[in-house]
Each structure stands twice: as structure tokens, then as C-alpha cells.
């Protein structure tokens, strides 16, 4: 469903015209004559507030096979704040067994539908964080409900296999119909894993093996290599490093954490490997005003990558791989240009370092393409692409060159979960039938336009609105203000995420539509207006 | 169901008498007179082979509420070997996407029941490896089938939460009824995780935090600590080490792999931290004949632990924790005495090092107690106990002292899976109602007695039969012979696992009964007899 509202705008009250890409208060530059304009519905609340006459509004259904999802028409908050008393009570109980400082609220998953999450206090929130970006179709999608009713699928649930050794009879077909059908071009190999962290660390291992294989040539493993590997000593356990970027986040186990530099509480007190860390570009916004500065910034960062590769080779701990997120998520929704990623790949090609793209948060369609790195027009595929979250299963795609030459090299007991593949197969059908990737691009544009408009209206509260499709974000000057916005929004029924130092991150499901964006932008406008008064 | 067969044994054909704990061929020491003996059914095949008259046999049901499980009465192999042609064909297809050297066979999970796994070629195997020891109740247990039909449970399946921030409404009750109900005494805290490896690495982090907290006292974190932690530098990322043992296996990510020393293909080419590694006792068998030697061996190993703790403190990378399996599984089913583990805890108490017991493979009842470390009568609880596999969810229990003081310190997107808790709650009910832990002890004794009997009959093929309940194993002189036994057994319909250099490991489900042990021992006897002829 795509909504557009049409308004008659009097000459003296003309407002922002989207195609001019600049927000104007009614006092701003006007149009030449009174006319009917088709205003994207993101601005309809403003139009109404400004007293424009609503000429007509219509909804036109698009002819897609997408499933009809029943969900509330708008948020509804019953308690004076979120979390409410029942969530607090459950948190207190859970707190007997574990630290609950990270608990936002307890969820009634049965009553949650589509883009709306219902908490235990009955508050119904528009969810634009979707379980840290891991629910592709929102809550209780009819297709998945249907899948979960089929007894043949439940067999997979209750007999979880050791997938690397005893795959189910239909495993190859499942793979072909699910994960392999979205393999990034050039990456013919794939390994499922349980979670994002394990995907990253297994990707690192594939890189290490390929790197050492290249050094070793056709020589077989020596007994000394095998023996020393068992005792954590070289040559069996070689001194190799993985290069990562400031503000990166790749996961929580030691090898992934060694590449993560987003927040102190992920890291403090934990020994991690001393590996090279390059600066991730810190772009200035609006991008179109800082083209030269940003190019220079990206060049400096790429130069540093080159220098670090050289320095660490000299130090005797050569860089085997570079790991990077197409958009740094946890670290603050930091973007870099396609040229930066192309440059990074060029450096890898020149130096023989493998390139691993961490698409755990960016993969799955939210950016307007299934893989975020498709936006970068790379010369050839990266060597590894990791995934998890919206793909329901963890895992990574990789090149033939990185394929392990023995069994059990990349392995663990469960090594994925075929139940998640069954579900993901149906998620993919919905993505295709519902045109959900195009939707993400479209609604993403609406969100970004809206955020840009609001940041012009509230320059003291919002900065650097940015995004790739619906994966978008905006900065707030301080962490206190950011948290205050998030809390006020939640109390008004819109649930968002934070990231970086003081960023608001939007992680809508792929079922997030134009009218959801309206509600979000309207609520944000009201919130910012309130805060400006304080 | 407990089966005992009763036989009339002629005076001249008396065989092994279980209570004498020694196997005698019919030519061995006889009993005083012809009599009716009640022979544990493990020996019934031998009795039959020796021509004894079956006097009577009866089954007496125990008055338990255990669920009746329908399963085949015996294995049935249709193809000339396992894997058969259909498994090979599917492997070849899967091999286009990933290395399949670790694939044993493809499984028809729908047709698998109880202790019997049915492969894609229709071979029905008695499964004594149970998905690397991860299926507590075997295949398609009626209780779990029933659970999977309830729509309210399926909501948990299709709406997988970010459990650390948005737990489901019934999460606390689920925890209390499932994992918390089997918490080792003294461990009030618990964190679910996705898999064994993540459980180990999160346990390490809890240890690191507690260790640093003790050093820091009441002083708050400094800005320098927070900043340096982000760049992998001390003081924020301190030089701490974790002590592990030779032949240990704790998992596949960098921190867990750094403590694993079982097999080269887990390790080769992967950089891991250079941490202290102590020798794990190599006991001589039979234990009762080598009491003194084994005591000395364990003392030497404990002395080395002390020395390493001292040496690494001097080196400036103090040992924060010791990680050890109650029975080293992957590394060869290596046992140490209760005294060894008591000694290890004493060292920890003296040196302020935390003790982490890795019960990923040993937890869940197979050893005849829910936690293997309950066999050790430790003075007080260990500091951390990790679990996964038979508990369906990964995670770890820990003391109040190890509880993180902030949120998000031990965390990831999914951080466990409440669907697995729902299933595990019903597994626990069956364990209780079916008396499955007592069964594991009983059938474990039968398996161990049988293996000891067979190793006396086939001393050139079997050695060091050992076990803790049904978690038992036996060594074979060479890896070739071991693999030949495993393959021949599989071709006869009994599926076992290997571990260590040349060990056969038994990992029956908790539904494994006396008559399954009969089939196993009978098939093993036939196999060894065949091999002796070759």
C-alpha cells in the first residue's frame, strides 16, 4: 500500500518542495502560483498543521502478491512510560539470575503483529528496531505462522542435527532454495553457523587457511606444524593478524572482539589480540557540501591501511585479512563511499590480503539491495561475506580459493540450524512476492528525506541524517539528549535503537511501509517540538 | 523396561560371573554346582552362543510415568555399506557448496525414532553417538512431538527475540522450570548462549571481569582504561591468561580454541593466544592395578598447574582462570580422579584463580548424575559451569561473584533461544518421570562391564575400557583399526563415534536401555571376532 495525499497549497503558505531537496518553512521561497501539489504523505502532518486544505487523498494498492498482514493501525501506549510496571516486575525477577540492565521490556510475542510489538503491559509500539534488526518480516507473519504449523517442519525443530555430519535428507534442496539463492555473485561456497560472531570467526579461519596455503604451496603439512599447532606455537599456530577499523563491531568472541572497537563495555577487562586498527572515515555532512574533504578523509584512511599492512608484515605478524562493515552499525551508523570500498579492495588485490565484508547487520534487503556491498560496484566479489540476523541463520559465503581442503576445519556440533533455513526460505518468498527490497529503498528514501527535513527544522537536536535505503540514522548532539528522544518516542509508542555515541538508528522490518514512516516522522516531530520548548 | 534373562548353566559351561568382576571363558573357574543364575541380559547373547538353555526370561516394567517410545526392535542395514548410494549422491551435491569430508550420512529425521536413526538409504542404525551427544531423548520423542504441535510454542519459534533486551512474557517462568531447576548447587547465576563455544568464551569474560574487579577494588573505571580497551591495549585490555590442559577441547572461536589441544585440524594455521597448558593426567588401566602410579601422575599434573600459575604471574600475564572438562571428550575420553579435581580446586582457592568446568559434553545426565562434576564431591561449587548439547541451549552457570556489574557486558543479538528452553523443559520432565539419570548409571554399568569383558576376550583390539555412567569409551591400538571397527559396526547397524587418537566413544541418548546395550555388545563381539580372523 502506497499512500499519497494531495493538497491545495495557497501561494502564501508554500512549504518544502521535495524535489528541491531543501526544507523551507512557510516563510521560505515560494512557488510561482497556487497549485495542487502531490505531497509525499511524510509531509501530510505538517500540511495539516499548517492549515492546508486536504483536496483529496487516495490509496492505491500495488499489484503484488504480497501477503496481507493484519496489524494495528497505530501505536497505543497504556502506561505512563515504557517499560511499564509489569515489565519492571519481570525484570526484577529475572535480575535474581542475571544482570538485566540491558532489558528494555518484556514482550508479548503472541499479541505482536507486523511492525507492532506489544509489551507485557499491553503497550503497542511501532517497532523500528526489530530485535536489533533481526526480524525480516516483523512479528507473526502469516507465512511463517503457516510454516510453523506443518508437522514435517516440526521434525526439524525437535531433532536438531549435527549439521556438518548428519544433514537432513532435504538439506541440499533447502540450501539451494534459501541461502544459496541469495549468494553474492562470485561466492560459490557457503557455511552455515549459529550466530554472527561464530560466522566472523569462521570466516577469519577460512582466510588464515588460504593465506597459509598460499605460502605453503603444494608442500604437505609437516609433523612439526601439526604438533606445534596443538600447543599454540608457531609454525603450526602462525603469527597472523586481521586488520579492522575504529568504531567497528564484529562480535563478542575473542577473534571477533579483537576487531571490534565500538564501545568500552564490549571490551573492558578482556584480553584480545593486538592487531592493526585503521581509522574508519569520518565523513562530514551534508555529503554534497563536503565532497573534497570527504575524499581526502577516505584517502587518508586508505593510506593508513596500506601503512599498517606494511608495518605488520615487518613486525612478523602479517595481515591475512581485512574485515569491514559496509555500514558500521553498532559503532554509529558510519558510512563510507563506494570509492572507499573499491580502494580497499584494490589494496587487498595489490597486497594479497583477503577482504571480508561483515554483512551481519546490513545483509537481507534493508539497504535497498539484498547485500549492502552491491551498492559499491566492486571490481570483483569480496573473499568472504558474513551474515546472520535477518537471514535467521548465521553463516558466511566465500570463494573457491578459501574452501577448506579437509573436513572438520570449520565445524562445531550444530554448525547452524536447518529449522532457520526452512523459515528463511519462506522469508525469501515473501521478499520476492512482496517486492520488499524495492519497498525498503522507497520507504528508506522517505525516511531519509523526512529526517533531513526535520534536521533543518531542529538543527540543535538532529544532525547528519544519513542512510542506505531504510538502514538509516541521525545523530543527536549528546548522549543524554539522544536517550531522552528515544525514551520520549517509546512513551509515545515508537521504539527505536541507539548506536555509536549519540546516534539514533532505524532498523525497520522489510514490511515497514510509507504509512509507518508517517507515524514515525510525525511522532519524532512532536517529540522534537516538545524538547525545543523545554 | 528392564530386562533380565535367566539361564540354567551346566557346571562344565559356567561363564563370567558379574559379581566377581572378571570374565572367564567356559574353561575358567567354575561355580560350585549347577544352578540357575540370573544373568544380566548383556551376556545373554554369549549364553545363547554357548548353548545354554534359556530357562525363562521376563520383562518387568518399573512403575514410572515414562513415555512409551515406539522404535524398531533392532537395526537393519539395506545397503552394502553405510553411507549408501543416496547419501553419497547428496554429499556430492552438497560438495558443490562446501567441503563435505565430515559428512557421515544424510538422515531421514522423519523416519528416525528413539535410539534409531534412519538414513536416506533406509538403513536403520542404533545410534550411540546421537548427533555428537546432543540428543537427550533420541529421535522424535512423543513429548517433544506434542510440544511442537502447540501453537503457543510456535510463536516463540517464528519470533526469535533478542533475548537480552526483549525477553518473552513467560521467560522467567521458563528459566525457573528449565535451566534454573538444574543449576549446580551454589551457582545462582545463569546466562543462556547460542552454542558451546560462545558459552565458554562468555564464561571466560565473566572470569576476566571478576579478576579485574578484585584488583580494582572500589575504584571506578578510568577513562584511560575505557579508551585503551577500544584499541586492544592495556590497561583496558589487560594481559590475562586462561590455563588449559593437553588434549582439552573447549570450542572453535579464538578464546576457546586457545584452550583446545585435541587435534591438529582444529588448530593448524590459526593464530591463538599463547597461554599456559598443563598436562592432563594420563591414567593407566585398569585403575585398580595402578593406584599408586596414577596418584603420582595426577600429583605431577597438579604440580605443573601450580608452577604455571606462578610462572605466568611473573611473566606479567597472570592466570585468571582454569578451564577443564570433567571428562575430556573430544581429546579421547580421558578421565581423572575426583581427587585430581579436588586438588585443582584447592590450587584455585589458594591462588585466587577461578575454576571453570566445561560440561558441554558431560552435562545432562549421561554420567549417571546431572552434572559430571557431582561425582567429584568438590568442597564448594566451581565458579563457572558451561553447558550446551543435551541441554539444547548453550549457556553457563556462575557464582554471584562473577556477575557482571553492567548490562551488555556479556551479550549478543540472540544470546540463546527461548524455543530451546521450551523443548528442554519437556526433556527435563521426561528425565524426571522416566528415571533417566538412574537409567544412565545402570545401563552405563552394563556397557562398562561389557566393554571390560570384551577387552579381556580381545586384548589385541580393545584397551582401557572406561566410563562414568553411560559416557564410556574404549581404546583401540591404532587409528586404522579403530576406524575399521567403527565402519564395520556401522555396516552392521550400530553407529558410534570416535575421539582422541584411536578411541571409540559411546554417547547414547538417555533413552538407551539394557536391550540396546545388548545389541551394541553383541554386534561389537561379532565385529571383533571377524577382525581377529582377518
Amino acid at each position: 500500500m502506497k499512500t499519497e495525499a494531495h493538497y491545495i497549497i495557497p501561494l502564501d503558505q508554500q512549504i518544502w518542495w521535495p524535489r528541491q531537496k531543501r526544507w523551507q518553512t512557510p516563510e521560505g521561497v515560494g512557488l510561482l502560483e497556487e497549485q495542487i501539489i502531490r505531497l509525499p504523505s511524510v509531509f501530510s502532518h505538517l500540511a495539516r498543521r499548517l492549515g492546508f486544505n486536504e483536496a483529496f487523498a487516495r490509496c492505491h494498492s500495488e499489484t503484488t502478491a504480497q501477503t496481507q498482514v493484519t496489524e494495528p493501525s497505530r501505536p497505543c501506549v497504556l502506561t505512563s512510560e515504557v517499560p511499564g510496571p509489569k515489565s519492571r516486575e519481570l525484570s526484577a525477577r529475572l535480575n535474581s539470575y542475571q544482570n538485566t540492565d540491558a532489558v528494555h521490556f518484556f514482550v508479548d510475542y503472541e499479541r505482536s503483529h507486523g511492525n507492532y510489538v506489544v509489551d507485557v503491559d499491553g503497550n503497542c509500539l511501532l517497532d523500528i528496531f526489530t530485535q536489533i534488526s533481526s526480524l525480516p518480516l516483523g512479528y507473526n507473519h502469516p507465512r511463517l505462522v503457516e510454516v510453523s504449523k506443518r508437522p514435517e517442519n516440526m521434525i526439524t525443530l525437535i531433532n536438531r542435527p549435527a549439521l556438518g555430519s548428519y544433514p537432513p535428507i532435504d538439506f541440499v534442496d533447502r540450501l539451494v532454495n534459501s541461502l544459496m539463492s541469495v549468494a553474492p555473485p562470485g561466492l560459490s561456497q557457503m557455511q552455515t553457523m549459529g550466530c554472527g560472531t561464530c560466522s566472523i570467526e569462521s570466516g577469519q579461519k577460512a582466510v588464515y587457511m588460504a593465506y597459509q596455503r598460499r605460502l605453503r604451496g603444494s608442500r604437505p603439512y609437516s609433523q612439526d606444524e601439526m604438533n606445534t599447532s596443538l600447543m599454540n606455537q608457531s609454525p603450526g599456530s602462525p603469527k597472523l593478524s586481521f586488520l579492522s577499523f575504529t568504531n567497528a563491531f564484529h562480535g563478542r568472541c575473542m577473534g571477533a572482539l579483537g576487531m571490534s572497537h565500538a564501545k568500552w563495555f564490549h571490551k573492558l577487562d578482556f584480553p584480545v589480540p593486538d592487531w592493526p586498527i585503521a581509522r574508519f572515515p569520518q565523513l562530514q555532512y551534508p555529503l554534497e557540501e563536503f565532497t573534497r574533504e570527504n575524499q581526502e578523509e577516505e584517502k587518508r584512511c586508505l593510506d593508513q591501511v596500506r601503512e599498517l599492512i606494511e608495518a605488520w608484515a615487518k613486525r612478523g605478524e602479517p595481515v591475512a585479512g581485512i574485515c569491514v562493515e559496509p555500514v558500521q552499525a553498532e559503532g554509529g551508523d558510519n558510512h563510507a563511499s563506494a570509492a572507499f570500498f573499491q580502494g580497499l579492495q584494490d589494496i587487498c588485490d595489490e597486497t594479497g590480503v583477503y577482504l571480508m565484508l561483515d554483512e551481519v547487520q546490513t545483509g537481507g534487503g534493508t539497504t535497498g539491495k539484498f547485500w549492502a556491498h552491491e551498492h559499491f560496484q566492486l571490481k570483483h566479489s569480496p573473499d568472504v561475506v558474513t551474515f546472520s540476523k535477518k537471514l535467521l541463520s548465521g553463516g558466511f559465503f566465500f570463494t573457491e580459493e578459501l574452501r577448506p581442503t579437509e573436513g572438520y576445519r570449520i565445524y562445531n556440533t550444530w554448525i547452524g540450524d536447518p529449522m532457520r533455513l526452512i523459515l528463511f526460505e519462506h522469508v525469501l518468498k515473501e521478499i520476492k512476492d512482496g517486492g520488499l527490497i524495492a519497498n525498503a529503498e522507497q520507504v528508506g528514501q522517505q525516511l531519509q528525506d523526512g529526517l533531513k527535513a526535520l534536521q533543518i527544522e531542529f538543527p540543535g537536536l538532529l544532525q547528519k541524517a544519513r542512510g542506505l535505503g531504510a538502514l538509516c540514522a541521525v545523530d543527536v548532539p549528546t548522549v543524554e539528549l539522544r536517550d531522552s528522544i528515544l525514551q520520549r518516542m517509546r512513551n509515545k509508542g515508537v521504539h527505536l535503537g541507539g548506536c555509536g555515541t549519540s546516534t539514533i538508528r532505524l532498523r525497520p522490518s522489510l514490511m515497514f511501509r510509507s504509512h509507518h514512516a508517517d507515524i514515525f516522522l510525525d511522532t519524532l516531530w512532536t517529540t522534537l517540538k516538545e524538547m525545543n520548548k523545554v
Side-chain angles (χ1 to χ4, degrees), chain A residues 177-188:
Chain A
N177 292 336
S178 63
L179 292 169
M180 288 315 300
S181 77
V182 291
L187 301 185
S188 63

Side-chain angles (χ1 to χ4, degrees), chain A residues 415-491:
Chain A
I415 200 160
D417 183 349
M419 188 64 228
R420 299 289 156 192
L421 262 62
I422 293 178
L423 294 172
F424 183 61
E425 191 176 326
H426 294 270
V427 167
L428 272 182
K429 280 185 189 155
E430 180 65 22
I431 287 179
K432 201 177 160 188
D433 294 349
L436 297 188
I437 296 186
N439 173 69
E441 193 186 356
Q442 208 169 350
V443 80
Q445 197 55 53
Q446 180 182 349
L447 288 169
Q448 289 182 48
D449 285 347
L451 287 172
K452 283 174 189 164
L454 289 170
Q455 97 183 351
I456 292 171
E457 190 171 355
F458 301 97
L461 289 172
L462 298 188
Q463 300 161 349
K464 298 188 185 176
R466 57 198 180 273
L468 207 54
L471 188 107
C472 44
V474 66
D475 282 2
V476 181
T478 68
V479 63
E480 292 75 19
L481 277 174
R482 190 267 314 267
D483 290 350
S484 170
I485 293 175
L486 293 182
Q487 184 61 52
R488 285 163 187 264
M489 289 290 284
R490 205 178 291 153
N491 293 347

Side-chain angles (χ1 to χ4, degrees), chain A residues 31 41 55 92 192 209 242 259 295 328 333 397 401 410 426 446 467 473 476 499 533:
Chain A
L31 295 165
S41 58
T192 53
M209 283 189 285
F242 232 100
M259 305 197 301
Q295 275 172 358
Q328 288 191 330
D333 267 38
F397 292 98
E401 185 183 349
I410 289 173
H426 294 270
Q446 180 182 349
V476 181
C499 65
K533 280 183 200 149

Side-chain angles (χ1 to χ4, degrees), chain A residues 331-374:
Chain A
D333 267 38
N334 307 314
H335 295 251
S337 72
F340 174 76
F341 289 96
Q342 291 161 9
L344 207 52
Q345 189 173 55
D346 288 343
I347 295 175
C348 286
D349 289 347
E350 288 162 28
T351 54
V353 167
Y354 294 100
L355 182 60
M356 175 151 95
L357 288 190
D358 178 354
E359 293 244 26
V360 166
Q361 187 146 167
T362 51
T366 324
T367 67
K369 295 191 185 286
F370 193 88
W371 300 106
H373 77 266
E374 293 176 69

Side-chain angles (χ1 to χ4, degrees), chain A residues 212-231:
Chain A
Q212 291 296 97
R213 201 153 50 229
R214 214 169 51 198
L215 290 183
R216 197 179 273 123
S218 57
R219 176 176 69 71
Y221 307 138
S222 71
Q223 195 59 49
D224 185 42
E225 284 175 320
M226 293 192 272
N227 294 347
T228 52
S229 77
L230 287 178
M231 300 305 278

